[in-house]
Amino acid sequence: MSSGRESAEREPGRQGLAAHFGSLELAILNVMWAKGETDVAGCARDLDSGQAYTTVKTVMERLVVKGLLDRRKEGRQYVYWPRQTRREVEQRVAAEQVRQVVDGFGDLAVANFVRAVSGDAKQLAHVRALLAGIADPPAGSGGTARPPEGAA
């Protein structure tokens, strides 16, 4: 979801949201999820990273464009807040990533996913419960049944 310098700052081996967002984007999102809403100056103060006000403002504006933050004008400044909870963003990003892997690798992706969770009894039980709740598609439909949105 990020581009330019932010993408270049990602380190190999980063997981979860850290692998999807640039480090400053994620730091700003973390501040916003903790505070609920704040202006650029408040966010910059809470970042405690020495980032320039203008840099924080630019990244916050990009997060608005990406649909992750929203804003309203109060006097001469904007107040920002997250449009989704951290859990909602994690769910969306995970769903996008899984869909890309399955679309790109098909049965190989599914088989490797099963192998990856098979060593963890709790994860395997969760997968079995999700699969038990999915109805088989009608014969010959070629369609794929998907679990409900919040079932991750």
Side-chain angles (χ1 to χ4, degrees), residues 135-149:
D136 288 334
S141 72
T144 57
R146 291 189 185 168
E149 271 300 308

Side-chain angles (χ1 to χ4, degrees), residues 106-125:
D107 291 346
L108 289 173
V110 174
N112 280 290
F113 176 78
V114 170
R115 282 186 203 102
V117 300
S118 66
D120 183 316
K122 186 176 176 182
Q123 287 181 338
L124 192 54

Side-chain angles (χ1 to χ4, degrees), residues 32-85:
M32 299 308 297
W33 286 321
K35 291 190 90 156
E37 65 177 49
T38 189
D39 59 13
V40 174
C43 184
R45 262 191 316 275
D46 287 354
L47 284 173
D48 200 31
S49 63
Q51 290 290 336
Y53 175 93
T54 54
T55 302
V56 174
K57 180 175 176 24
T58 298
V59 174
M60 289 177 80
E61 285 299 318
R62 288 181 184 161
L63 291 170
V64 169
V65 170
K66 292 177 180 184
L68 292 156
L69 297 180
D70 212 341
R71 68 181 186 167
R72 71 175 175 278
K73 188 127 178 150
E74 283 191 7
R76 297 180 62 209
Q77 64 189 8
Y78 285 101
V79 173
Y80 297 80
W81 65 92
R83 293 188 68 178
Q84 299 175 308
T85 65

